[in-house]
């Protein structure tokens, strides 16, 4: 079912980082905005006036700026979307907040916890609505999974086990993604595939009350596939976390860099009355490309559990952009009603804090 807005005011959107040469802005945000009624892409800002003009011509956008300050001052822009690499988030978010504009930032919000706390505090001082791109929470299948657990499909949750592959952070990386192998840039296996999936897990179950973690960089050098250059990798390519959730369940997670020839996503939720199994070809749960099956009572083996149509707010958007479209549909309602379904900067701070606990446990060898 396509979301409808009735007589509500259309929300004018300006994207920072929409490039004529492609990228996540064009693959994820543009198709999503086109699919959700109530939004209009009215402006963009790029690294230069020339780049902005090229992108505006390609995507049919009326206003093009080579500076985010100009975009933020445009009275036709209500929502500024930050779709650039993590190290530039802070400098590009600040002008939008200072202009009093609502901001949607891609996840991770910042390169670290301290920077995320600064941005959340500034947003609160300016009294503006913020959102962060932890879109796995908006995926129909994740919301269905959450409700299955809440409604007692498995009974009391006893434990959960998850194994996933990051796709990236393997033996090779393209030049466009080379920045992700440097931990300082904040766009790592820990923050992106693991971080997105962990947020969905805590939404469906509960957060960790205590945890222990081990991380490693098993490939200290990787090859840039399109140049043949070898570069150092300081980001973790192995992450294991075990602990206890607030609901009492025991949890065990393992994420690894690269891809497996066998299993790239397998997540079980085991309870007193049943079991749920989530499987897919990628550990990026935020892409929404996975299947749910379950068994309970006298069932001998899991059977498919298709997602009911009532969880679908947007039609005809394929691939990862489909989950982004569902996040936009929820954000539209938040902006019109003052709701808070889509996670905001304060939620992002709490998730950064959880990832910080995991990193600290791995570094110190202590239970957090």
């Amino acid at each position: 079912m396509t979301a409808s807005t009735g007589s509500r005011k259309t929300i004018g959107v300006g994207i920072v980082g929409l490039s004529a040469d492609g990228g996540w802005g064009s693959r994820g945000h543009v198709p999503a905005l086109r699919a959700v009624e109530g939004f209009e892409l009215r402006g963009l800002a790029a690294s230069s006036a020339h780049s902005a003009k090229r992108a505006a011509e390609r995507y049919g956008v009326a206003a093009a700026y080579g500076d985010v300050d100009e975009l933020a001052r445009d009275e036709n822009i209500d929502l500024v979307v930050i779709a650039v690499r993590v190290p530039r988030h802070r400098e590009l978010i600040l002008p939008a907040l200072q202009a009093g504009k609502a901001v949607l930032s891609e996840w991770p919000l910042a390169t670290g916890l301290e920077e995320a706390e600064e941005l959340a505090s500034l947003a609160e001082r300016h009294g503006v609505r913020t959102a962060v791109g932890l879109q796995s929470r908006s995926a129909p299948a994740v919301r269905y999974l959450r409700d299955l657990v809440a409604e007692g499909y498995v009974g009391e949750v006893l434990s959960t086990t998850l194994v996933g592959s990051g796709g990236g952070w393997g033996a090779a990386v393209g030049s466009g993604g080379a920045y992700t192998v440097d931990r300082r840039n904040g766009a790592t296996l820990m923050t992106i595939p693991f971080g997105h999936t962990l947020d969905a897990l805590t939404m469906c179950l509960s957060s960790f009350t205590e945890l222990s973690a081990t991380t490693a960089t098993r490939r200290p050098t990787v090859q840039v596939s399109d140049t043949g250059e070898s570069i150092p990798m300081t980001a973790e390519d192995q992450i294991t976390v075990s602990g206890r959730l607030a609901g009492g369940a025991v949890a065990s997670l393992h994420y690894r860099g690269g891809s497996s020839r066998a299993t790239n996503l397998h997540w079980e939720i085991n309870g007193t009355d049943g079991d749920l199994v989530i499987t897919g070809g990628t550990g990026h749960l935020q892409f929404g490309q996975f299947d749910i099956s379950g068994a309970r009572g006298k069932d001998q083996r899991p059977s498919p559990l298709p997602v009911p149509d009532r969880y679908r707010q947007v039609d005809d958007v394929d691939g990862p952009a489909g989950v982004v479209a569902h996040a936009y549909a929820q954000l539209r309602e938040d902006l019109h009603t003052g709701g808070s379904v889509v996670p905001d900067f304060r939620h992002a701070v709490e998730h950064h804090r959880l990832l910080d606990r995991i990193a600290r446990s791995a570094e110190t060898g202590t239970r957090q």
Side-chain angles (χ1 to χ4, degrees), residues 186-203:
T188 64
L189 178 73
M190 174 80 80
T191 60
I192 298 179
F194 180 80
H196 276 287
T197 302
L198 180 63
D199 188 60
L201 183 148
T202 58
M203 171 188 166

Side-chain angles (χ1 to χ4, degrees), residues 78-100:
D78 306 301
L79 171 68
V80 176
V81 175
I82 306 298
V84 300
R85 294 179 178 182
V86 183
R88 298 201 64 202
H89 280 190
R90 179 185 180 276
E91 66 177 283
L92 297 174
I93 291 171
L94 289 177
L97 295 179
Q98 291 161 354

Side-chain angles (χ1 to χ4, degrees), residues 38 54 68 88 93 144 190-191 194 206 242 255 262 270 317 329 368:
R54 286 183 61 226
V68 68
R88 298 201 64 202
I93 291 171
Y144 178 44
M190 174 80 80
T191 60
F194 180 80
S206 59
S242 64
Y255 256 67
N270 310 112
V317 185
Q368 298 292 314

